[in-house]
Amino acid sequence: MKDADLTRIDLNLLVVFEALMRARHVGRAAEQLFLSQSATSHALNRLRELLADPLFIRNPKGVEPTPRARELAEPIAAVLASVRAIVRPTAPFDPAQLRRTFRLAATDIAVLLVLAPVMPELLASAPGVNV
């Protein structure tokens, strides 16, 4: 069996799927995603083509997931959680945690005019740094 061509899959479609599972309504899912209802509906159509299933069936209250959509809900949530963990911002830089030695080549006048004035602040904020 041939693997799916991932270059042709839009990860945002999985985000739309997740919102539709949560909201069970195209309009409310669109609001949560800050998309138009039309854009969300188009994304759903692309998902249907990609996964070869209707995924969500209209009903008087919105949409109801098909058995295939219910089957995919947990794996898609896991994939999105993994992607969110990968792109989550790292902790902000803390100079107090830095342990490093910097070697600089400079003239005496450059050291006197540039480096000397900043050394007290550097040593206070990054005590593990050697220059």
Side-chain angles (χ1 to χ4, degrees), residues 55-76:
L55 297 174
F56 296 91
I57 307 298
R58 294 188 194 282
N59 68 27
K61 295 182 179 181
V63 292
E64 183 67 27
T66 65
R68 176 79 170 133
R70 290 180 196 280
E71 175 186 309
L72 292 171
E74 191 174 317
I76 288 175

mmCIF file of all heavy atoms in Angstrom, residues 55-76:
data_model
loop_
_atom_site.group_PDB
_atom_site.id
_atom_site.type_symbol
_atom_site.label_atom_id
_atom_site.label_comp_id
_atom_site.label_asym_id
_atom_site.label_seq_id
_atom_site.Cartn_x
_atom_site.Cartn_y
_atom_site.Cartn_z
ATOM 1 N N LEU A 55 -17.902 12.465 7.223
ATOM 2 C CA LEU A 55 -17.383 12.940 8.506
ATOM 3 C C LEU A 55 -18.436 13.565 9.416
ATOM 4 O O LEU A 55 -18.516 13.225 10.584
ATOM 5 C CB LEU A 55 -16.208 13.899 8.323
ATOM 6 C CG LEU A 55 -14.980 13.296 7.659
ATOM 7 C CD1 LEU A 55 -13.932 14.367 7.402
ATOM 8 C CD2 LEU A 55 -14.404 12.169 8.492
ATOM 9 N N PHE A 56 -19.203 14.519 8.900
ATOM 10 C CA PHE A 56 -20.224 15.194 9.711
ATOM 11 C C PHE A 56 -21.501 15.292 8.887
ATOM 12 O O PHE A 56 -21.480 15.773 7.768
ATOM 13 C CB PHE A 56 -19.754 16.590 10.143
ATOM 14 C CG PHE A 56 -18.549 16.555 11.045
ATOM 15 C CD1 PHE A 56 -17.273 16.616 10.515
ATOM 16 C CD2 PHE A 56 -18.695 16.430 12.420
ATOM 17 C CE1 PHE A 56 -16.156 16.557 11.336
ATOM 18 C CE2 PHE A 56 -17.578 16.371 13.250
ATOM 19 C CZ PHE A 56 -16.309 16.427 12.706
ATOM 20 N N ILE A 57 -22.596 14.834 9.475
ATOM 21 C CA ILE A 57 -23.900 14.843 8.805
ATOM 22 C C ILE A 57 -24.749 15.941 9.433
ATOM 23 O O ILE A 57 -24.838 16.047 10.653
ATOM 24 C CB ILE A 57 -24.615 13.476 8.979
ATOM 25 C CG1 ILE A 57 -23.709 12.328 8.536
ATOM 26 C CG2 ILE A 57 -25.957 13.457 8.250
ATOM 27 C CD1 ILE A 57 -23.316 12.350 7.089
ATOM 28 N N ARG A 58 -25.365 16.738 8.574
ATOM 29 C CA ARG A 58 -26.232 17.819 9.060
ATOM 30 C C ARG A 58 -27.428 17.250 9.819
ATOM 31 O O ARG A 58 -27.994 16.244 9.446
ATOM 32 C CB ARG A 58 -26.734 18.673 7.905
ATOM 33 C CG ARG A 58 -25.663 19.445 7.206
ATOM 34 C CD ARG A 58 -26.254 20.420 6.190
ATOM 35 N NE ARG A 58 -25.241 20.935 5.295
ATOM 36 C CZ ARG A 58 -24.368 21.883 5.606
ATOM 37 N NH1 ARG A 58 -24.407 22.420 6.797
ATOM 38 N NH2 ARG A 58 -23.481 22.296 4.729
ATOM 39 N N ASN A 59 -27.790 17.965 10.890
ATOM 40 C CA ASN A 59 -29.023 17.650 11.617
ATOM 41 C C ASN A 59 -29.618 18.981 12.068
ATOM 42 O O ASN A 59 -28.999 20.027 11.868
ATOM 43 C CB ASN A 59 -28.760 16.675 12.775
ATOM 44 C CG ASN A 59 -27.948 17.265 13.910
ATOM 45 O OD1 ASN A 59 -27.950 18.470 14.144
ATOM 46 N ND2 ASN A 59 -27.248 16.422 14.637
ATOM 47 N N PRO A 60 -30.815 18.997 12.653
ATOM 48 C CA PRO A 60 -31.448 20.271 13.017
ATOM 49 C C PRO A 60 -30.623 21.127 13.989
ATOM 50 O O PRO A 60 -30.762 22.344 14.013
ATOM 51 C CB PRO A 60 -32.770 19.837 13.659
ATOM 52 C CG PRO A 60 -33.056 18.495 13.090
ATOM 53 C CD PRO A 60 -31.719 17.851 12.868
ATOM 54 N N LYS A 61 -29.760 20.515 14.783
ATOM 55 C CA LYS A 61 -28.978 21.280 15.754
ATOM 56 C C LYS A 61 -27.583 21.640 15.263
ATOM 57 O O LYS A 61 -26.847 22.319 15.953
ATOM 58 C CB LYS A 61 -28.864 20.486 17.060
ATOM 59 C CG LYS A 61 -30.187 20.295 17.760
ATOM 60 C CD LYS A 61 -29.996 19.552 19.053
ATOM 61 C CE LYS A 61 -31.328 19.382 19.753
ATOM 62 N NZ LYS A 61 -31.193 18.685 21.028
ATOM 63 N N GLY A 62 -27.191 21.156 14.092
ATOM 64 C CA GLY A 62 -25.854 21.425 13.575
ATOM 65 C C GLY A 62 -25.349 20.259 12.760
ATOM 66 O O GLY A 62 -25.903 19.946 11.717
ATOM 67 N N VAL A 63 -24.292 19.591 13.252
ATOM 68 C CA VAL A 63 -23.750 18.422 12.560
ATOM 69 C C VAL A 63 -23.455 17.325 13.575
ATOM 70 O O VAL A 63 -23.157 17.600 14.740
ATOM 71 C CB VAL A 63 -22.464 18.762 11.763
ATOM 72 C CG1 VAL A 63 -22.750 19.668 10.582
ATOM 73 C CG2 VAL A 63 -21.387 19.343 12.653
ATOM 74 N N GLU A 64 -23.557 16.102 13.093
ATOM 75 C CA GLU A 64 -23.296 14.923 13.928
ATOM 76 C C GLU A 64 -22.147 14.152 13.284
ATOM 77 O O GLU A 64 -22.172 13.894 12.085
ATOM 78 C CB GLU A 64 -24.561 14.059 13.998
ATOM 79 C CG GLU A 64 -24.437 12.855 14.880
ATOM 80 C CD GLU A 64 -24.298 13.200 16.356
ATOM 81 O OE1 GLU A 64 -24.779 14.274 16.778
ATOM 82 O OE2 GLU A 64 -23.699 12.392 17.079
ATOM 83 N N PRO A 65 -21.127 13.783 14.061
ATOM 84 C CA PRO A 65 -20.007 13.040 13.469
ATOM 85 C C PRO A 65 -20.425 11.636 13.037
ATOM 86 O O PRO A 65 -21.236 10.982 13.701
ATOM 87 C CB PRO A 65 -18.971 12.977 14.591
ATOM 88 C CG PRO A 65 -19.689 13.317 15.840
ATOM 89 C CD PRO A 65 -20.921 14.068 15.479
ATOM 90 N N THR A 66 -19.852 11.203 11.932
ATOM 91 C CA THR A 66 -20.073 9.835 11.457
ATOM 92 C C THR A 66 -19.224 8.888 12.315
ATOM 93 O O THR A 66 -18.345 9.337 13.065
ATOM 94 C CB THR A 66 -19.645 9.693 9.982
ATOM 95 O OG1 THR A 66 -18.229 9.900 9.901
ATOM 96 C CG2 THR A 66 -20.384 10.652 9.071
ATOM 97 N N PRO A 67 -19.459 7.599 12.198
ATOM 98 C CA PRO A 67 -18.605 6.649 12.923
ATOM 99 C C PRO A 67 -17.117 6.830 12.591
ATOM 100 O O PRO A 67 -16.262 6.735 13.471
ATOM 101 C CB PRO A 67 -19.127 5.282 12.472
ATOM 102 C CG PRO A 67 -20.570 5.529 12.160
ATOM 103 C CD PRO A 67 -20.599 6.911 11.569
ATOM 104 N N ARG A 68 -16.814 7.117 11.343
ATOM 105 C CA ARG A 68 -15.410 7.341 10.945
ATOM 106 C C ARG A 68 -14.845 8.574 11.639
ATOM 107 O O ARG A 68 -13.702 8.575 12.104
ATOM 108 C CB ARG A 68 -15.312 7.482 9.424
ATOM 109 C CG ARG A 68 -13.939 7.817 8.907
ATOM 110 C CD ARG A 68 -13.047 6.599 8.848
ATOM 111 N NE ARG A 68 -11.823 6.939 8.129
ATOM 112 C CZ ARG A 68 -10.610 6.638 8.559
ATOM 113 N NH1 ARG A 68 -10.451 5.950 9.668
ATOM 114 N NH2 ARG A 68 -9.561 6.995 7.863
ATOM 115 N N ALA A 69 -15.620 9.635 11.734
ATOM 116 C CA ALA A 69 -15.168 10.849 12.422
ATOM 117 C C ALA A 69 -14.916 10.556 13.892
ATOM 118 O O ALA A 69 -13.919 11.000 14.463
ATOM 119 C CB ALA A 69 -16.185 11.973 12.260
ATOM 120 N N ARG A 70 -15.799 9.789 14.503
ATOM 121 C CA ARG A 70 -15.620 9.423 15.919
ATOM 122 C C ARG A 70 -14.343 8.597 16.094
ATOM 123 O O ARG A 70 -13.602 8.759 17.062
ATOM 124 C CB ARG A 70 -16.815 8.646 16.427
ATOM 125 C CG ARG A 70 -18.075 9.474 16.568
ATOM 126 C CD ARG A 70 -19.231 8.597 17.078
ATOM 127 N NE ARG A 70 -20.512 9.208 16.883
ATOM 128 C CZ ARG A 70 -21.031 10.145 17.663
ATOM 129 N NH1 ARG A 70 -20.371 10.586 18.689
ATOM 130 N NH2 ARG A 70 -22.223 10.648 17.399
ATOM 131 N N GLU A 71 -14.075 7.733 15.145
ATOM 132 C CA GLU A 71 -12.877 6.892 15.169
ATOM 133 C C GLU A 71 -11.608 7.740 15.037
ATOM 134 O O GLU A 71 -10.585 7.432 15.642
ATOM 135 C CB GLU A 71 -12.984 5.883 14.016
ATOM 136 C CG GLU A 71 -11.802 4.998 13.792
ATOM 137 C CD GLU A 71 -11.986 4.158 12.532
ATOM 138 O OE1 GLU A 71 -13.039 3.504 12.391
ATOM 139 O OE2 GLU A 71 -11.078 4.172 11.690
ATOM 140 N N LEU A 72 -11.686 8.789 14.237
ATOM 141 C CA LEU A 72 -10.522 9.639 13.984
ATOM 142 C C LEU A 72 -10.306 10.714 15.051
ATOM 143 O O LEU A 72 -9.217 11.292 15.129
ATOM 144 C CB LEU A 72 -10.670 10.328 12.622
ATOM 145 C CG LEU A 72 -10.592 9.425 11.407
ATOM 146 C CD1 LEU A 72 -10.979 10.199 10.157
ATOM 147 C CD2 LEU A 72 -9.201 8.836 11.277
ATOM 148 N N ALA A 73 -11.305 10.985 15.853
ATOM 149 C CA ALA A 73 -11.235 12.106 16.796
ATOM 150 C C ALA A 73 -10.033 12.011 17.733
ATOM 151 O O ALA A 73 -9.277 12.987 17.891
ATOM 152 C CB ALA A 73 -12.531 12.212 17.591
ATOM 153 N N GLU A 74 -9.835 10.884 18.359
ATOM 154 C CA GLU A 74 -8.732 10.750 19.312
ATOM 155 C C GLU A 74 -7.365 10.801 18.632
ATOM 156 O O GLU A 74 -6.484 11.537 19.092
ATOM 157 C CB GLU A 74 -8.888 9.455 20.116
ATOM 158 C CG GLU A 74 -7.935 9.390 21.304
ATOM 159 C CD GLU A 74 -8.201 8.175 22.172
ATOM 160 O OE1 GLU A 74 -9.374 7.866 22.431
ATOM 161 O OE2 GLU A 74 -7.205 7.544 22.561
ATOM 162 N N PRO A 75 -7.139 10.063 17.526
ATOM 163 C CA PRO A 75 -5.836 10.178 16.870
ATOM 164 C C PRO A 75 -5.531 11.591 16.366
ATOM 165 O O PRO A 75 -4.394 12.063 16.468
ATOM 166 C CB PRO A 75 -5.909 9.187 15.711
ATOM 167 C CG PRO A 75 -7.009 8.249 16.047
ATOM 168 C CD PRO A 75 -7.957 8.999 16.936
ATOM 169 N N ILE A 76 -6.541 12.276 15.853
ATOM 170 C CA ILE A 76 -6.317 13.652 15.380
ATOM 171 C C ILE A 76 -6.004 14.563 16.549
ATOM 172 O O ILE A 76 -5.099 15.398 16.481
ATOM 173 C CB ILE A 76 -7.517 14.154 14.541
ATOM 174 C CG1 ILE A 76 -7.517 13.439 13.183
ATOM 175 C CG2 ILE A 76 -7.481 15.673 14.370
ATOM 176 C CD1 ILE A 76 -8.711 13.741 12.304
#
